[in-house]
């Protein structure tokens, strides 16, 4: 195996990696560091988050830095404030044996004045999010004339977040740029375009397969009915007592609602979503990082750039619309050589999506049964008893008290003590799970229900292709809407739009078919009237929305 000092790194940097406990370079570090140290090459590194990308560019960047320079010579651009702070923290650790190298973090949501002062003091490396950087450029508070190295980290995320123009602006405004190093988990055509336009014969290194999720992640899924999603989530959390995980939802309303419900039921959880102020967000992240929060629930946008060590589980409360987003979600676990589990709660109509994801991550999903109430209680018991046996009793003056206890418990059997302990700890679980039902959707149940629907539908209308137009999970109505992709919607935004307008929860929705001009939405029959009432006749961008029962025309 290669070691850090064989990569051409300065011994002070090698020392820093060993201080951090890094034994060997990761694959991306081994492949990137020798190339980047030449300082004159453009570079594309295709690697997932968690593969050690920060050190892969951070170590060479520090080595190439001239501490006598007063104007910034290196610029790292990344999508989010969290990532920006993480990169700076890591650079600080890497440079601890170097003298005179200054790094500054530049991101939005906090005082720009302090950042301007830091820049004025003289820095060589600027780590920035695109928006704030442009703000500083426009205020002429930062000079990019001397920039030689530009690193674009998580380039695909930046493009997903709509920063393409900003990035091009930044690249155009770095006239002395000698090298551009681009890191990305995926390689969409837009990134190819940016690389063609702004990079010269880049050396491309791929770690694993592009878009491939980490092999150290076990991908599991559980099939339940849409209206049992929350119960299933709870049961899966209860079944994994030592869980330290992130739960993903598609909308911030779901994130908030699930967090509130779980908090009320005594779980250690908080939500991360776009409505939080920066201070609130930092507080939640701080609590999660130091593990005083066991669970974090977040939307994809809010969770961007988060890198927390030791995540045991990622839970997809809902699958993402965009299958590539799955890779980003699951990549939050199984980092730096550890293993992790990515659980997805799906309903039967989403299984086709899992097959698409399997192709992208080139990894098979394992279907697991949602545990029964008894399974959960058993698991909790064992976990507790394990903790009991492992508790450290080597300190503390137990001998003073134990004889008294022995006397008090002289007539109580071991079984009874254990039972009492269990009752104290598990009363809530036992009561809750006493009569818990089966949450799995099983083939036979599905067929039976699908049969019912077929009967029902033969009384009504079928669509042209004879496609089953009702969900197998409930009694759905299919509604027509005169809005489509031409109106600037994609599935997730459309879903959010109709739910917000109709004041309904997502559980009521079935499949959405979007065309350019129109869409068809499956809605729980009991909610269809309310949805039509709240949406039909309203205006969207000056146009009257028409919504009606698609099968009654
Ligand atoms: P990154 O992909 O840069 O976000 O890194 C993911 C995690 O892996 C970070 O917490 C790093 O501290 C850790 N890490 C990076 N390189 C190594 C290495 N060579 N050995 C062990 N851990 C590492």
């Amino acid at each position: 195996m290669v070691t850090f000092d064989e990569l051409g790194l300065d011994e002070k940097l090698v020392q820093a990696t060993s201080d951090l406990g890094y034994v060997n370079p990761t694959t991306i570090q081994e492949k990137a560091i020798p190339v980047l140290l030449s300082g004159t090459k453009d570079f594309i590194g295709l690697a997932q988050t968690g593969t050690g990308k920060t050190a892969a560019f951070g170590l060479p960047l520090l080595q190439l830095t001239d501490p006598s320079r007063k104007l910034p010579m290196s610029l790292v651009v990344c999508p989010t404030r969290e990532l920006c702070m993480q990169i700076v923290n890591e650079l600080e650790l890497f440079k601890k044996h170097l003298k005179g190298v200054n790094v500054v973090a530049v991101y939005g949501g906090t005082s720009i004045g302090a950042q301007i002062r830091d820049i004025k003091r003289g820095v060589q490396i600027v780590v920035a999010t695109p928006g704030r950087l442009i703000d500083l450029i426009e205020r002429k508070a930062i000079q990019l004339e001397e920039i030689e190295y530009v690193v674009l980290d998580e380039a695909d995320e930046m493009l997903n977040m709509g920063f393409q123009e900003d990035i091009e602006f930044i690249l155009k405004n770095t006239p002395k740029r000698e090298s551009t190093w681009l890191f990305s988990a995926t390689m969409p055509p837009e990134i190819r375009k940016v690389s063609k336009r702004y990079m010269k014969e880049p050396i491309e290194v791929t770690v694993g397969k592009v878009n491939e999720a980490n092999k150290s992640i076990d991908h599991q899924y559980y099939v339940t009915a849409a209206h049992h999603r929350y119960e299933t989530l709870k049961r899966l959390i209860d079944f994994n007592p030592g869980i330290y995980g992130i739960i993903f939802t598609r909308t911030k309303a779901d994130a908030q609602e699930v967090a509130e419900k779980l908090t009320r039921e005594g779980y250690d959880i908080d939500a991360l979503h776009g409505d939080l102020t920066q201070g609130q967000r930092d507080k939640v992240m701080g609590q999660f990082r130091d593990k005083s929060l066991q669970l974090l629930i977040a939307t994809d946008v809010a969770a961007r750039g988060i890198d927390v060590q030791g995540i045991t589980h990622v839970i997809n409360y809902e699958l993402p619309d965009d299958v590539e987003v799955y890779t980003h979600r699951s990549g939050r676990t199984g980092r730096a050589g550890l293993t992790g589990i990515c659980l997805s709660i799906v309903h039967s109509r989403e299984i086709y999506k899992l097959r698409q994801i399997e192709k992208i991550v080139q990894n098979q999903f394992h279907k697991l049964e949602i545990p029964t109430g008894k399974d959960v209680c058993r698991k909790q018991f064992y976990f507790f008893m394990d903790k009991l046996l492992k508790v450290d009793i080597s300190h503390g003056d137990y001998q003073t008290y134990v004889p008294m206890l022995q006397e008090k418990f002289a007539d109580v059997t071991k079984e009874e003590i254990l039972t009492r302990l269990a009752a104290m700890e598990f009363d809530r679980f036992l009561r809750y799970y006493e009569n818990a039902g089966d949450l799995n959707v099983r083939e036979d149940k599905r067929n039976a229900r699908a049969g019912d629907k077929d009967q029902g539908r033969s009384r009504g209308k079928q669509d042209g292709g004879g496609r089953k137009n009702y969900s197998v999970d409930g009694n759905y109505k299919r509604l027509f809407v005169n809005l489509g992709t031409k109106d600037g919607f994609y599935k997730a935004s459309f879903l959010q739009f109709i739910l917000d307008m109709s004041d309904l929860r997502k559980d009521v929705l079935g499949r959405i078919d979007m065309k350019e001009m129109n869409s068809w939405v499956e809605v729980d029959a009991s909610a269809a009237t309310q949805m039509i009432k709240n949406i039909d006749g309203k205006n969207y961008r000056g146009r009257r929305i028409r919504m009606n029962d698609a099968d009654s025309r």
Side-chain angles (χ1 to χ4, degrees):
M1 254 193 191
V2 183
T3 55
F4 276 100
D5 49 9
E6 289 170 286
L7 299 179
L9 284 169
D10 186 293
E11 61 180 28
K12 289 180 178 142
L13 292 168
V14 175
Q15 182 58 47
T17 58
S18 107
D19 295 347
L20 283 168
Y22 298 180
V23 181
N24 297 102
T26 63
T27 315
I28 186 74
Q29 290 161 2
E30 187 186 326
K31 291 185 176 175
I33 292 173
V35 177
L36 301 183
L37 282 176
S38 80
T40 53
K41 298 223 168 46
D42 282 346
F43 180 86
I44 296 179
L46 292 172
Q48 303 290 326
T49 48
T51 50
K53 281 186 296 172
T54 319
F57 67 76
L59 294 168
L61 207 60
L62 287 165
Q63 182 149 332
L64 293 165
T65 299
D66 173 359
S68 67
R69 302 265 287 258
K70 291 285 167 268
L71 288 179
M73 61 178 286
S74 304
L75 177 63
V76 180
V77 191
C78 62
T80 61
R81 172 191 161 108
E82 264 79 24
L83 189 57
C84 186
M85 296 199 298
Q86 271 160 31
I87 294 172
V88 171
N89 287 342
E90 288 208 35
L91 292 180
E92 293 290 344
L93 294 170
F94 299 151
K95 78 178 183 70
K96 74 179 214 205
H97 301 296
L98 302 176
K99 285 221 170 71
V101 178
N102 294 320
V103 181
V104 69
V106 160
Y107 47 77
T110 182
S111 150
I112 197 164
Q115 292 174 354
I116 293 175
R117 277 195 296 280
D118 285 345
I119 296 167
K120 281 215 174 107
R121 244 176 250 142
V123 292
Q124 294 88 25
I125 303 179
V126 175
V127 183
T129 53
R132 177 55 63 94
L133 180 62
I134 301 235
D135 198 353
L136 287 168
I137 297 173
E138 281 169 353
R139 289 171 188 235
K140 303 212 181 329
I142 190 166
Q143 293 196 42
L144 304 184
E145 285 77 42
E146 300 296 319
I147 294 284
E148 290 173 31
Y149 305 103
V150 172
V151 183
L152 302 175
D153 193 19
E154 303 214 348
D156 52 350
E157 289 281 4
M158 291 199 276
L159 262 52
N160 279 343
M161 293 168 78
F163 287 135
Q164 175 146 5
E165 279 180 16
D166 295 357
I167 286 168
E168 296 203 27
F169 180 84
I170 292 162
L171 291 173
K172 278 183 202 149
N173 282 282
T174 43
K176 273 208 190 152
R177 181 167 41 92
E178 281 182 12
S179 311
T180 310
W181 306 342
L182 183 152
F183 288 83
S184 190
T186 59
M187 195 52 164
E190 296 82 3
I191 297 209
R192 274 269 170 250
K193 259 190 239 155
V194 170
S195 75
K196 285 224 169 78
R197 210 171 292 161
Y198 298 96
M199 297 168 85
K200 274 193 287 298
E201 295 169 21
I203 293 181
E204 192 167 317
V205 164
T206 305
V207 174
K209 292 221 167 53
V210 186
N211 295 349
E212 184 188 352
N214 196 326
K215 291 278 184 218
S216 51
I217 300 170
D218 187 11
H219 301 269
Q220 308 177 348
Y221 73 99
Y222 296 83
V223 186
T224 193
H227 59 277
H228 282 147
R229 217 180 267 279
Y230 177 74
E231 281 303 305
T232 304
L233 172 69
K234 236 173 81 170
R235 203 171 284 191
L236 293 176
I237 297 171
D238 289 343
F239 191 65
N240 291 286
I243 191 170
Y244 176 49
I246 305 190
I247 303 163
F248 283 96
T249 59
R250 282 200 287 200
T251 67
K252 67 177 180 223
D254 281 352
Q256 250 166 322
E257 188 188 319
V258 174
E260 274 164 24
K261 269 166 119 176
L262 285 173
T263 307
R264 243 180 278 129
E265 297 192 63
Y267 292 82
D268 256 349
I269 187 166
D270 213 334
L272 208 60
H273 54 76
D275 285 352
L276 299 187
T277 62
Q278 204 55 58
Q280 290 168 322
R281 196 183 151 90
D282 289 346
K283 189 168 160 226
V284 175
M285 276 314 296
Q287 287 174 335
F288 186 57
R289 244 180 250 287
D290 69 23
K291 301 202 174 171
S292 43
L293 268 185
Q294 202 180 2
L295 296 162
L296 188 70
I297 185 161
T299 56
D300 294 300
V301 174
R304 273 187 181 137
I306 293 177
D307 173 22
V308 177
Q309 289 300 295
I311 300 277
T312 59
H313 292 73
V314 165
I315 302 184
N316 293 303
Y317 183 66
E318 295 140 328
L319 283 177
D321 272 330
D322 177 355
V323 287
E324 282 201 358
V325 170
Y326 181 92
T327 324
H328 287 291
R329 289 185 178 183
S330 61
R332 309 279 164 207
T333 183
R335 292 164 93 90
L338 299 173
T339 55
I341 294 174
C342 184
L343 308 177
S344 298
I345 303 173
V346 302
H347 56 84
S348 44
R349 279 172 300 113
E350 287 177 316
I351 290 173
Y352 79 98
K353 219 178 205 177
L354 293 178
R355 302 293 161 245
Q356 290 175 348
I357 297 171
E358 273 181 342
K359 279 191 205 130
I360 287 191
V361 302
Q362 304 200 340
N363 230 329
Q364 223 188 342
F365 274 95
H366 301 120
K367 179 174 187 290
L368 296 182
E369 292 260 308
I370 302 166
T372 62
K374 279 213 161 56
D375 292 336
V376 173
C377 292
R378 198 175 306 122
K379 192 78 176 274
Q380 289 279 347
F381 269 115
Y382 279 117
F383 185 76
F384 176 70
M385 294 307 168
D386 234 28
K387 246 177 33 188
L388 194 71
L389 288 174
K390 280 190 192 143
V391 72
D392 183 6
I393 51 172
S394 59
H395 315 286
D397 186 16
Y398 298 109
Q399 284 321 311
T400 311
Y401 310 103
V402 171
M404 282 166 3
L405 290 175
Q406 264 172 330
E407 209 176 303
K408 189 169 171 73
F409 285 87
D411 296 331
V412 189
T413 64
K414 192 166 154 187
E415 281 74 20
E416 195 179 334
I417 294 176
L418 284 176
T419 312
R420 286 181 184 282
L421 261 178
M424 258 170 64
E425 186 74 13
F426 296 111
D427 196 47
R428 176 172 78 97
F429 277 106
L430 292 179
R431 278 172 202 268
Y432 181 77
Y433 282 115
E434 204 166 17
N435 297 312
D438 179 9
L439 297 175
N440 293 283
V441 168
R442 300 181 189 284
E443 280 303 319
D444 47 351
K445 266 198 224 168
R446 293 216 321 255
N447 291 339
R449 288 209 223 155
D452 293 349
K453 302 267 165 41
D454 281 340
Q455 270 183 11
R457 213 176 43 235
S458 64
R459 277 182 257 120
K461 289 263 166 71
Q462 286 193 3
D463 68 11
R467 189 177 57 78
K468 284 185 185 175
N469 48 5
Y470 292 158
S471 155
V472 291
D473 292 326
N475 188 16
Y476 280 74
K477 259 201 180 353
R478 204 159 155 266
L479 306 183
F480 165 89
V481 203
N482 64 341
L483 293 174
T485 52
K486 258 259 166 72
D487 298 290
F489 287 112
Y490 51 97
K491 264 191 193 164
S493 60
F494 184 64
L495 178 146
Q496 194 52 51
F497 173 77
I498 54 175
L499 289 177
D500 286 349
M501 290 274 288
S502 54
D503 204 18
L504 286 164
R505 288 157 36 100
K506 196 146 66 42
D507 303 7
V508 304
L509 285 184
R511 203 160 89 184
I512 297 184
D513 283 333
M514 292 197 77
K515 299 275 177 291
E516 240 178 63
M517 309 298 290
N518 307 312
S519 305
W520 287 263
V521 189
E522 286 182 355
V523 186
D524 198 291
S526 61
T529 317
Q530 178 174 336
M531 184 169 279
I532 295 175
K533 185 169 146 263
N534 287 353
I535 296 184
D536 185 48
K538 298 275 158 50
N539 273 313
Y540 180 71
R541 293 185 175 169
R543 202 148 66 83
R544 188 170 180 272
I545 308 176
R546 186 158 61 81
M547 179 180 251
N548 54 263
D549 184 343
D551 297 320
S552 70
R553 275 178 303 157

